[in-house]
Structure formats: C-alpha cells, structure tokens
Amino acid sequence: MVNIDELRFDEKGLIPAVVVDTYSKKVLTVAYMNKESLAISMKEGRTCFWSRSRQELWRKGETSGNVQHIVSITADCDRDALTVEVVKEGPACHLGTESCFSDFVYLNPAYQSFSVDGLMEMLEGRKKEKPEGSYTTYLFEKGLDKILKKVGEECTEVIIAAKAEDRAETIYEIADLTYHVMVLMTEQGISLEDIRKELAKRHIIDHKVKQEKMTK
C-alpha cells in the first residue's frame, strides 16, 4: 500500500486522477486531486476532486446525484498519477454521456474490432436517428410488441439448435438473440451497466453462498 505522503503532487499540489468504470474498464474522466480531496475520497469511498477552475473541492454527484463509488485507487510507477476504479451512478460527464471521452480524434481501421459496448452505442444511435432502410430502425418503429415477438422467436431458435447439438448453429442463434435482447434493452432504457451491476450482485451472493456451504 502506498501512503499519501509518498505520492508526487505537482507544484500546485495536484495529481491527475484517471477515473475508470470498474465493470467496463472504460475511461470515464480525468480530474485532479490534492491531498485533501484524496483523503476525503478514501474516507468517504466516493470521488472528491479539486476544481482548478473554481479553486475548490467538489464531490462528484453532489448536485447531479451521479455519484462515483470507489473500488480502488492505484498509483503509477512514478507516483505522480492515479487510476481510480469506480462504480458509477448515472452518467460520468456533465453533458449527460456515460464518459467524457466520446469524441474520436482518430480511428486506425487496422485495429478496429467489435465490442458489445460499441454495438449498444450503435443501437442507441439507431433509436435516436432512425435511418431509413435499417432493420434496427424497423424494430424501433414497430415498437415493443414486435421486439418482444422477435426475442421470443430467437429464444426458440436457440433451444432448437442447442437440442440438435449443432454448435455452429447455436452460436449463430445466440448472437441473434443477443442482438434482439439488446434492442429490447435500448427500447426500455436499460444499459449494459445495469446488467453488469446485476450480474456483479449475483456473483457476490453466489460467492457468499459457496463460502457458507464450505464451512458447514
């Protein structure tokens, strides 16, 4: 464990803090802490920063309600920067987005790959913009009943493929089901973070249950 006094604050008494979502590992924001705000963060278990523009302490979510609960704080090898992993409540950015980092400056096509988070962003964009000729747009325009019908159909297809022990077909149908479930999530305002949090709670409960069984 590193002591606060071992950290290297700059000439203004500040140290940069890179805030990361503990579930998605996505960078949420970069802020600054001084010794006082870091001590408050550690004591309260919630992020507290130093505002360079207002020259005062500010607790994240104090006015917006978008609190960040601290999981861990890690110093880099030079002790002059911090990574703060958090469980966040609501958007991290004051603009209402999940992360402050959402505007691409450059994308190298050679390294672009699929991600579930990227798919969710695409679905959210389709719901908002509704481009013509898109199957996703068609689902959103038809509404909840149509989306639920497709989820039910894809569930059946997964069962049929799995029962036939056709691995390739099962993978294909699970991908279809996943897509339609994510469309449903988008329609009802359910985020990937909501699901991650729910799964994390179940993991903790399962861990405790296993411990109880082992001690009997």
Side-chain angles (χ1 to χ4, degrees):
M1 297 292 288
V2 178
N3 190 283
I4 290 181
D5 293 327
E6 296 178 58
L7 298 176
R8 297 172 59 187
F9 295 84
D10 65 17
E11 66 279 1
K12 296 180 180 178
L14 302 176
I15 189 169
V18 182
V19 183
V20 178
D21 188 306
T22 195
Y23 297 126
S24 67
K25 305 305 179 186
K26 187 173 185 178
V27 175
L28 301 177
T29 191
V30 176
Y32 287 83
M33 291 180 170
N34 56 17
K35 282 189 177 182
E36 183 180 5
S37 67
L38 178 54
I40 290 172
S41 296
M42 294 169 65
K43 179 180 178 181
E44 298 181 355
R46 294 164 48 172
T47 52
C48 177
F49 305 109
W50 175 258
S51 172
R52 294 177 297 168
S53 59
R54 300 193 302 271
Q55 290 293 295
E56 64 181 13
L57 294 168
W58 64 282
R59 289 171 169 81
K60 176 63 179 173
E62 195 168 28
T63 55
S64 66
N66 299 326
V67 175
Q68 296 172 342
H69 302 281
I70 298 173
V71 175
S72 66
I73 300 176
T74 308
D76 73 339
C77 56
D78 293 323
R79 305 286 194 265
D80 61 359
L82 302 173
T83 297
V84 185
E85 285 205 15
V86 302
V87 174
K88 66 183 181 67
E89 294 183 16
C93 182
H94 71 286
L95 296 178
T97 55
E98 292 299 306
S99 167
C100 292
F101 294 90
S102 56
D103 298 326
F104 289 102
V105 177
Y106 171 71
L107 281 173
N108 188 333
Y111 293 96
Q112 298 312 301
S113 59
F114 171 82
S115 73
V116 175
D117 290 273
L119 175 57
M120 195 59 152
E121 289 177 11
M122 184 275 286
L123 293 176
E124 290 169 351
R126 290 286 193 273
K127 188 175 191 297
K128 185 182 300 182
E129 298 164 9
K130 291 187 171 64
E132 292 185 10
S134 165
Y135 173 67
T136 308
T137 297
Y138 162 78
L139 290 175
F140 286 131
E141 287 179 340
K142 287 296 182 180
L144 182 60
D145 286 346
K146 180 63 176 179
I147 295 170
L148 291 174
K149 183 174 183 291
K150 289 301 299 181
V151 170
E153 290 174 357
E154 297 304 334
C155 281
T156 302
E157 294 295 331
V158 169
I159 293 169
I160 292 172
K163 184 64 176 176
E165 297 186 359
D166 186 331
R167 185 175 184 276
E169 186 67 15
T170 303
I171 292 172
Y172 182 89
E173 296 300 344
I174 287 174
D176 268 355
L177 175 59
T178 301
Y179 161 79
H180 285 92
V181 167
M182 290 176 69
V183 171
L184 173 62
M185 289 167 60
T186 305
E187 175 68 16
Q188 298 205 318
I190 299 171
S191 69
L192 288 173
E193 184 179 358
D194 293 329
I195 304 303
R196 289 186 182 109
K197 285 181 178 178
E198 179 62 27
L199 289 172
K201 286 192 296 185
R202 295 184 185 190
H203 171 72
I204 293 170
I205 292 170
D206 183 55
H207 182 64
K208 289 180 178 177
V209 169
K210 287 180 179 178
Q211 283 185 326
E212 288 174 3
K213 288 181 178 178
M214 289 174 65
T215 55
K216 289 182 180 179

Short mmCIF file of all heavy atoms in Angstrom, two decimals, residues 26 33 56 63 66 111 135 140 145 161 199 202 209 212 216:
data_model
loop_
_atom_site.label_atom_id
_atom_site.label_comp_id
_atom_site.label_asym_id
_atom_site.label_seq_id
_atom_site.Cartn_x
_atom_site.Cartn_y
_atom_site.Cartn_z
N LYS A 26 -13.84 1.20 -18.99
CA LYS A 26 -13.82 2.37 -19.86
C LYS A 26 -13.40 3.59 -19.06
O LYS A 26 -13.83 3.79 -17.93
CB LYS A 26 -15.21 2.60 -20.46
CG LYS A 26 -15.26 3.68 -21.51
CD LYS A 26 -16.63 3.72 -22.18
CE LYS A 26 -16.65 4.73 -23.32
NZ LYS A 26 -17.96 4.74 -24.01
N MET A 33 -6.79 15.77 -8.09
CA MET A 33 -6.96 15.69 -6.65
C MET A 33 -5.79 16.39 -5.97
O MET A 33 -4.68 16.43 -6.52
CB MET A 33 -7.00 14.23 -6.18
CG MET A 33 -8.22 13.45 -6.60
SD MET A 33 -8.15 11.73 -5.98
CE MET A 33 -9.81 11.17 -6.36
N GLU A 56 -11.76 25.02 -5.73
CA GLU A 56 -12.44 24.48 -4.56
C GLU A 56 -12.64 22.98 -4.70
O GLU A 56 -12.55 22.42 -5.79
CB GLU A 56 -13.80 25.18 -4.36
CG GLU A 56 -14.79 24.92 -5.49
CD GLU A 56 -16.11 25.63 -5.28
OE1 GLU A 56 -16.18 26.50 -4.41
OE2 GLU A 56 -17.07 25.30 -6.01
N THR A 63 -24.37 17.61 -6.68
CA THR A 63 -25.56 18.31 -7.16
C THR A 63 -26.35 17.48 -8.17
O THR A 63 -27.58 17.54 -8.21
CB THR A 63 -25.18 19.66 -7.80
OG1 THR A 63 -24.22 19.43 -8.85
CG2 THR A 63 -24.57 20.60 -6.77
N ASN A 66 -25.03 11.97 -9.62
CA ASN A 66 -24.24 10.96 -10.34
C ASN A 66 -22.96 10.62 -9.57
O ASN A 66 -21.85 10.93 -9.98
CB ASN A 66 -23.90 11.46 -11.74
CG ASN A 66 -25.15 11.74 -12.57
OD1 ASN A 66 -26.16 11.06 -12.43
ND2 ASN A 66 -25.08 12.76 -13.41
N TYR A 111 -7.09 -1.57 -36.59
CA TYR A 111 -7.24 -2.08 -35.22
C TYR A 111 -8.67 -1.98 -34.71
O TYR A 111 -8.91 -2.12 -33.52
CB TYR A 111 -6.30 -1.34 -34.27
CG TYR A 111 -4.85 -1.62 -34.54
CD1 TYR A 111 -4.10 -0.75 -35.32
CD2 TYR A 111 -4.24 -2.76 -34.04
CE1 TYR A 111 -2.76 -1.02 -35.59
CE2 TYR A 111 -2.91 -3.04 -34.31
CZ TYR A 111 -2.17 -2.15 -35.08
OH TYR A 111 -0.86 -2.42 -35.35
N TYR A 135 -32.76 -2.36 -40.44
CA TYR A 135 -33.62 -3.33 -39.75
C TYR A 135 -33.85 -2.92 -38.31
O TYR A 135 -34.96 -3.07 -37.78
CB TYR A 135 -32.96 -4.71 -39.81
CG TYR A 135 -33.69 -5.76 -38.98
CD1 TYR A 135 -34.97 -6.20 -39.34
CD2 TYR A 135 -33.09 -6.31 -37.85
CE1 TYR A 135 -35.63 -7.15 -38.58
CE2 TYR A 135 -33.75 -7.27 -37.09
CZ TYR A 135 -35.02 -7.68 -37.46
OH TYR A 135 -35.68 -8.63 -36.71
N PHE A 140 -37.55 -0.56 -33.97
CA PHE A 140 -37.93 0.54 -33.09
C PHE A 140 -39.24 1.19 -33.53
O PHE A 140 -40.06 1.60 -32.70
CB PHE A 140 -36.81 1.58 -33.02
CG PHE A 140 -35.63 1.16 -32.20
CD1 PHE A 140 -34.33 1.28 -32.69
CD2 PHE A 140 -35.80 0.63 -30.93
CE1 PHE A 140 -33.24 0.89 -31.93
CE2 PHE A 140 -34.72 0.22 -30.16
CZ PHE A 140 -33.43 0.35 -30.67
N ASP A 145 -44.03 -4.56 -28.83
CA ASP A 145 -44.63 -5.86 -29.12
C ASP A 145 -43.83 -6.62 -30.18
O ASP A 145 -43.61 -7.83 -30.07
CB ASP A 145 -46.08 -5.71 -29.57
CG ASP A 145 -47.01 -5.35 -28.41
OD1 ASP A 145 -46.57 -5.51 -27.25
OD2 ASP A 145 -48.15 -4.95 -28.67
N ALA A 161 -31.58 -25.27 -31.84
CA ALA A 161 -30.19 -25.51 -32.27
C ALA A 161 -29.40 -26.25 -31.20
O ALA A 161 -28.63 -27.17 -31.49
CB ALA A 161 -29.52 -24.18 -32.61
N LEU A 199 -25.38 -8.58 -12.52
CA LEU A 199 -24.56 -9.78 -12.52
C LEU A 199 -23.52 -9.74 -11.41
O LEU A 199 -23.22 -10.77 -10.79
CB LEU A 199 -23.88 -9.95 -13.88
CG LEU A 199 -24.80 -10.32 -15.04
CD1 LEU A 199 -24.03 -10.26 -16.36
CD2 LEU A 199 -25.40 -11.70 -14.84
N ARG A 202 -25.09 -10.70 -8.18
CA ARG A 202 -25.32 -12.14 -8.11
C ARG A 202 -24.02 -12.88 -7.86
O ARG A 202 -24.00 -13.89 -7.16
CB ARG A 202 -25.95 -12.63 -9.42
CG ARG A 202 -27.33 -12.07 -9.66
CD ARG A 202 -27.94 -12.66 -10.91
NE ARG A 202 -29.23 -12.04 -11.19
CZ ARG A 202 -30.07 -12.50 -12.12
NH1 ARG A 202 -29.75 -13.56 -12.83
NH2 ARG A 202 -31.21 -11.87 -12.34
N VAL A 209 -22.68 -17.70 -0.77
CA VAL A 209 -23.37 -18.98 -0.62
C VAL A 209 -22.36 -20.12 -0.64
O VAL A 209 -22.43 -21.05 0.17
CB VAL A 209 -24.41 -19.17 -1.75
CG1 VAL A 209 -24.93 -20.61 -1.76
CG2 VAL A 209 -25.58 -18.20 -1.55
N GLU A 212 -20.55 -20.31 2.63
CA GLU A 212 -21.39 -20.89 3.67
C GLU A 212 -21.44 -22.41 3.55
O GLU A 212 -21.37 -23.13 4.54
CB GLU A 212 -22.79 -20.30 3.58
CG GLU A 212 -22.87 -18.84 4.04
CD GLU A 212 -24.25 -18.25 3.79
OE1 GLU A 212 -25.12 -18.99 3.33
OE2 GLU A 212 -24.43 -17.05 4.07
N LYS A 216 -19.85 -25.55 6.36
CA LYS A 216 -20.76 -26.49 7.04
C LYS A 216 -20.14 -27.87 7.12
O LYS A 216 -19.35 -28.26 6.31
CB LYS A 216 -22.10 -26.52 6.30
CG LYS A 216 -22.92 -25.26 6.46
CD LYS A 216 -24.24 -25.38 5.75
CE LYS A 216 -25.08 -24.13 5.91
NZ LYS A 216 -26.35 -24.22 5.20
#
